[in-house]
Amino acid sequence: MTRYLRLLGIQLRASALLAAQYRWDFVVDGVISLFWAFTAIVPLFVVYGARRTGIPGWSFGEALVVTGWFILLQGILDGAINPGLAQVVDHIRKGTLDFVLLKPADAQFLVSTSKFALWRIFSVVSAFVIFGLAFRELGRLPAAVGVLESLALLVAATVLLYSLWILIVSAAFFVVKVDNLTYLFSSIFDAARWPSSVFRGALRTVFTFVIPLAVMTTFPAEALLGRLERSTLLGAMVGALVFASLARLVWIKSIGHYSSAGG
Amino acid sequence: MSSLKALPTLLRIGFSEAIVYRAEMLIWVLATTMPLIMLALWTAVAEVAPVAGLAGRTWSSGSFVAYFLIVFIVRQLISSWAAWEINFEVRQGTLAMRLLRPIHPITSYMAGNLAYLPQRFLVTLPIVVVLVLSPGLEHLSKSPAVWAMWAFSLVGGWMITFFANIAIGALSLFIESSVKIMDVWLAAFFVFSGYLFPIDLFPAWLRSASDWLPFRYQIGVPVELVTGGLTVEQAWPLLLRQWGWALGLLMLALTLWQVGVRRFQAVGG
């Protein structure tokens, strides 16, 4: 365990050194991510424009909390999950995954931590600014229990995102070219910026159980607002565990299919 | 002249390519389903009370259905990805191969992008059927003249998208990679084009910004033409401004390309 923590430290340091080397890129990327955060809240101003009721069941401040969670999770996805796993696809195509497999540590751990885009910190900062604005708009502070619950859900959401990503990357062992599958997932994830109650019927089931976007942004927001039911919280945690074990199983099965260069 | 003669062949090559990569293209199409998600959002909003636009127009869920399904269709027909292609080829040095051919590279990018149109058109057919069967149908324009202008505006919208792609792609000849500039362009496109919400619903300050930016003329104008209940007289000025942007970007793209390509040194130069 401590060995893996030490490894994580080393990998993080390598990413930090890389960011320090390309300082200018770091700043430009940071500014761009602030711009993205801005474009993520503009739709809210349209939906909650003058003389409009907005999304049923959600006031402006409450919807802003959901958007904050969306920006936070997008930061985690693009900062910590996507960079490392995107390289796996390349490794598989070129056969360089050999070098990872030869190392005396778990391959899934190594590829997952191989690269971090540290400038995504800017997204995390803008998410907290948005939380601040949202609760100022609401005129109250989140309850301590709500904060704890939402932190638990943050862990669950990260685990879910990571597991989904592992599942997608595992497909690369079979069909090799999945870089646009990852693009597809990023664009589906865009739907998470809205409270899940706007989706009806089949779409709602998909976004709760198959691609659990609701668990990632709406549930944590509800927890922070102090209106999430305990049973939902519990269900989300169990769901995240199930997804994680499934992803691990699929990864182990898929890596057995690896036959070096070309697939 | 030789470019013109080569065009059918170029299109045929591009079309075969589109068939080879059909699965990939389907994934790209699935990745542009954002209008359908926005449709879900806006109908949920409109269910409580009709949404009031700035110009006094009220939006029911039917008009949102018409709007966003047409947005989906227009997005399919005006798409271009030349900026990423150019960036990739500049980095890999394979742009040299394209420069060797006795055809202007922009013509070959154009043929490559246009050749995907038949397939993209096929993709939009189910949406057209849904639209015809939906309550959105009665919110569409019934004037043949307006529909003719719509076809014309699609060409203009495509030109804006394509030449903006070429112009931004050509920037990679100056600064190594312009992919990030393209990302910024796209983020602005999503906000200002009418892709996520009709321009009519914008707050006033966003609305005047979108009047002066090219994005509205890519998607918003073609969609407003047939769903906004516009008359021919109201539609002309919009179309003129759109073609202004199209021709302006054409000039910009050609200039940037001509200056930039002289700097190209292929790999290791």
Side-chain angles (χ1 to χ4, degrees):
Chain A
M1 194 61 204
T2 49
R3 187 162 147 261
Y4 277 100
L5 275 178
R6 221 175 56 231
L7 265 177
L8 178 67
I10 293 171
Q11 306 256 49
L12 264 171
R13 216 177 50 143
S15 292
L17 284 176
L18 210 65
Q21 191 176 1
Y22 298 101
R23 293 179 284 277
W24 196 225
D25 271 11
F26 183 83
V27 174
V28 171
D29 285 332
V31 171
I32 290 178
S33 76
L34 290 182
F35 179 69
W36 275 335
F38 169 73
T39 60
I41 51 174
V42 165
L44 277 186
F45 283 107
V46 178
V47 175
Y48 288 89
R51 288 179 292 120
R52 284 193 204 129
T53 46
I55 300 162
W58 292 81
S59 73
F60 179 69
E62 291 167 344
L64 209 53
V65 178
V66 178
T67 308
W69 278 101
F70 171 71
I71 293 172
L72 179 61
L73 280 166
Q74 208 178 31
I76 292 174
L77 176 66
D78 289 340
I81 299 177
N82 197 358
L85 292 186
Q87 287 185 323
V88 179
V89 181
D90 236 26
H91 277 319
I92 294 172
R93 207 178 54 233
K94 292 186 188 151
T96 45
L97 193 65
D98 296 6
F99 304 120
V100 178
L101 292 175
L102 280 174
K103 285 178 187 156
D106 184 66
Q108 187 182 348
F109 174 83
L110 283 179
V111 295
S112 306
T113 55
S114 64
K115 201 175 167 194
F116 295 94
L118 292 177
W119 54 271
R120 271 293 181 176
I121 289 284
F122 284 90
S123 298
V124 178
V125 173
S126 26
F128 279 98
V129 170
I130 289 176
F131 287 146
L133 288 176
F135 279 98
R136 215 185 68 163
E137 173 83 22
L138 290 171
R140 63 186 168 90
L141 283 173
V145 187
V147 174
L148 281 179
E149 281 179 348
S150 66
L151 281 179
L153 278 167
L154 175 64
V155 175
T158 310
V159 167
L160 277 171
L161 264 180
Y162 174 73
S163 310
L164 277 172
W165 219 244
I166 284 287
L167 287 173
I168 292 173
V169 166
S170 297
F173 288 102
F174 301 91
V175 290
V176 182
K177 211 169 155 47
V178 294
D179 34 352
N180 42 24
L181 267 183
T182 59
Y183 177 80
L184 174 63
F185 181 76
S186 305
S187 67
I188 290 176
F189 182 67
D190 248 4
R193 69 171 74 199
W194 303 108
S196 61
S197 64
V198 304
F199 301 113
R200 303 281 154 80
L203 214 50
R204 179 172 220 162
T205 318
V206 168
F207 285 157
T208 314
F209 298 106
V210 187
I211 311 169
L213 297 183
V215 183
M216 296 177 200
T217 58
T218 309
F219 290 0
E222 282 179 327
L224 212 51
L225 293 167
R227 61 183 204 204
L228 186 78
E229 279 169 41
R230 281 290 147 74
S231 55
T232 319
L233 176 70
L234 220 75
M237 305 302 266
V238 173
L241 259 178
V242 170
F243 254 91
S245 357
L246 182 74
R248 177 68 182 169
L249 268 178
V250 169
W251 168 266
I252 290 171
K253 269 249 178 290
S254 311
I255 211 159
H257 262 265
Y258 176 67
S259 53
S260 200
Chain B
M1 219 35 225
S2 64
S3 299
L4 217 58
K5 250 192 293 185
L7 205 55
T9 316
L10 283 175
L11 285 175
R12 213 167 46 238
I13 295 170
F15 183 68
S16 321
E17 208 177 278
I19 289 180
V20 171
Y21 293 118
R22 58 193 180 276
E24 248 168 63
M25 204 210 63
L26 201 67
I27 288 174
W28 283 110
V29 169
L30 284 176
T32 54
T33 44
M34 197 61 184
L36 306 182
I37 283 170
M38 295 313 291
L39 176 59
L41 172 84
W42 279 109
T43 42
V45 174
E47 246 166 44
V48 183
V51 183
L54 203 68
R57 184 178 165 203
T58 49
W59 291 75
S60 61
S61 41
S63 45
F64 281 123
V65 171
Y67 185 87
F68 282 110
L69 293 187
I70 297 277
V71 164
F72 179 83
I73 293 170
V74 170
R75 174 91 201 269
Q76 293 310 316
L77 299 181
I78 63 143
S79 55
S80 168
W81 48 94
W84 289 275
E85 262 182 305
I86 296 173
N87 265 289
F88 182 78
E89 289 177 11
V90 168
R91 206 180 59 230
Q92 304 273 324
T94 47
L95 184 67
M97 300 301 294
R98 218 181 262 271
L99 293 173
L100 277 175
R101 292 183 207 149
I103 304 160
H104 199 290
I106 295 184
T107 317
S108 62
Y109 285 121
M110 188 159 79
N113 279 201
L114 282 177
Y116 275 79
L117 270 184
Q119 274 199 33
R120 289 196 169 250
F121 185 72
L122 264 182
V123 170
T124 62
L125 280 184
I127 299 289
V128 173
V129 173
V130 170
L131 180 56
V132 168
L133 297 175
S134 77
L137 183 64
E138 57 182 295
H139 295 274
L140 291 181
S141 173
K142 303 205 170 42
S143 145
V146 168
W147 280 97
M149 288 172 87
W150 180 69
F152 210 56
S153 74
L154 282 182
V155 180
W158 184 84
M159 278 173 69
I160 295 177
T161 316
F162 178 72
F163 288 114
N165 261 272
I166 295 282
I168 292 173
L171 286 181
S172 66
L173 293 162
F174 300 89
I175 54 169
E176 278 177 34
S177 169
S178 61
V179 171
K180 274 173 201 158
I181 299 179
M182 199 59 204
D183 284 344
V184 172
W185 169 276
L186 269 184
F189 165 82
F190 286 136
V191 171
F192 291 108
S193 64
Y195 186 62
L196 300 180
F197 19 78
I199 308 250
D200 189 39
L201 300 180
F202 275 15
W205 58 280
L206 266 181
R207 198 185 158 99
S208 54
S210 69
D211 273 344
W212 294 101
L213 291 169
F215 310 108
R216 180 190 178 193
Y217 303 96
Q218 291 178 270
I219 291 219
V221 164
V223 179
E224 287 162 36
L225 274 181
V226 291
T227 62
L230 293 183
T231 60
V232 177
E233 288 74 32
Q234 287 169 309
W236 269 119
L238 286 175
L239 209 59
L240 271 180
R241 266 191 274 178
Q242 182 195 44
W243 277 78
W245 269 108
L247 295 177
L249 280 166
L250 168 88
M251 307 288 279
L252 179 70
L254 283 179
T255 319
L256 277 177
W257 180 268
Q258 234 145 37
V259 179
V261 86
R262 284 191 214 124
R263 302 165 55 100
F264 181 64
Q265 297 177 310
V267 167

